[in-house]
Amino acid sequence: MSDVLQNYPSGGGDSPAPPPSRSALDAEAVKAAYRRWANVYDVVFGGISRFGRLRAVEAVNGLPGTDVLEVGVGTGLALPHYRAEKQITGIDLSADMLAKARERVQRDKLTNVNGLLEMDAEDTKFEDSSFDIAVAMFVASVVPHPRQLLHELKRVVRPGGYILFVNHFLAPGGVRGAVEHALGRASHSLGWHPDFAMESLLPAEDIRRAFIQPVPPLGLFTLVTLENLPA
């Protein structure tokens, strides 16, 4: 795949995960943050995340394979937009968010949602090669160990399948980058990292071969599509 975003410099070789430019969010901090947000999440974040969410689902719908894992399914905002032939399993760390997602599935009669499970994305209980596609929406900057998330998704997606991330990534520089670094101090309250660098998630060789697309408006979010190569 061609890399269409050239502003993320990377060194040669399979470099180790860089020290994060942020304080790690542990699972309890994430749960607490999303417990606070669950009842208002759709109103507060639904609009600003809509373009990234719909672009990710559109990409999933266009890929081969039917078994899809949505990581960080949240309140289920994306679920109604998958094609009927895609069989969706959603996981999330927040029981409060999952309760909202289950209400949405019942209300919208979404028969292609196979399960909504409370599960740690860094340590799922799925067998190897369980899915054709995994998509993680706004999750990479929440988990404590992004490289472990990537490793886990590579494990549960079959070789030749696809892993997608839609996320906000730290701007390489400029005014936006400075603002995002400053906002990083509020990570625990927000429940996500405004200063999350792409290199914290993807090693250099994955960045080089990934298909990377800025998402409108203003490229605030980025969609990354990565083919899962055989081990």
Side-chain angles (χ1 to χ4, degrees):
M1 288 189 176
S2 60
D3 185 341
V4 299
L5 191 62
Q6 302 299 327
N7 292 329
Y8 289 92
S10 57
D14 184 8
S15 57
S21 59
R22 53 186 177 80
S23 58
L25 285 179
D26 59 30
E28 291 308 312
V30 173
K31 287 181 180 180
Y34 284 97
R35 187 176 302 117
R36 293 192 299 269
W37 289 115
N39 289 326
V40 296
Y41 183 89
D42 292 3
V43 174
V44 176
F45 294 108
I48 194 171
S49 65
R50 176 177 173 80
F51 287 101
R53 186 171 59 253
L54 294 182
R55 183 65 64 85
V57 173
E58 179 184 21
V60 169
N61 285 338
L63 290 171
T66 57
D67 293 323
V68 178
L69 174 65
E70 184 179 330
V71 180
V73 67
T75 63
L77 283 167
L79 295 176
H81 302 286
Y82 291 102
R83 289 180 178 168
E85 63 268 23
K86 299 297 186 184
Q87 299 298 305
I88 313 300
T89 299
I91 65 171
D92 203 284
L93 194 61
S94 169
D96 301 272
M97 292 286 203
L98 286 170
K100 298 292 183 183
R102 293 186 183 108
E103 290 174 7
R104 189 184 305 275
V105 168
Q106 292 183 350
R107 182 177 67 246
D108 295 351
K109 297 180 173 58
L110 302 177
T111 59
N112 63 332
V113 177
N114 293 335
L116 295 170
L117 309 172
E118 186 176 346
M119 195 175 289
D120 185 347
E122 295 184 7
D123 184 23
T124 74
K125 305 308 177 186
F126 301 116
E127 298 291 333
D128 293 358
S129 303
S130 293
F131 299 96
D132 300 308
I133 304 165
V135 55
M137 302 188 193
F138 315 109
V139 171
S141 53
V142 173
V143 297
H145 310 101
R147 289 283 179 92
Q148 178 57 34
L149 169 65
L150 176 65
H151 176 78
E152 182 68 357
L153 297 188
K154 287 182 176 182
R155 183 186 71 79
V156 302
V157 172
R158 65 170 175 80
Y162 293 89
I163 299 168
L164 293 83
F165 297 96
V166 62
N167 213 85
H168 171 80
F169 293 104
L170 176 68
V175 174
R176 189 182 122 188
V179 170
E180 289 166 351
H181 275 300
L183 286 173
R185 291 190 293 270
S187 293
H188 277 72
S189 297
L190 292 170
W192 61 286
H193 293 287
D195 58 341
F196 181 71
M198 187 178 292
E199 291 84 355
S200 295
L201 172 66
L202 299 175
E205 76 278 7
D206 282 349
I207 292 178
R208 284 194 297 268
R209 68 185 183 85
F211 184 53
I212 303 174
Q213 302 168 280
V215 174
L218 305 176
L220 182 62
F221 299 111
T222 301
L223 174 64
V224 178
T225 304
L226 187 69
E227 185 176 2
N228 194 31
L229 299 179

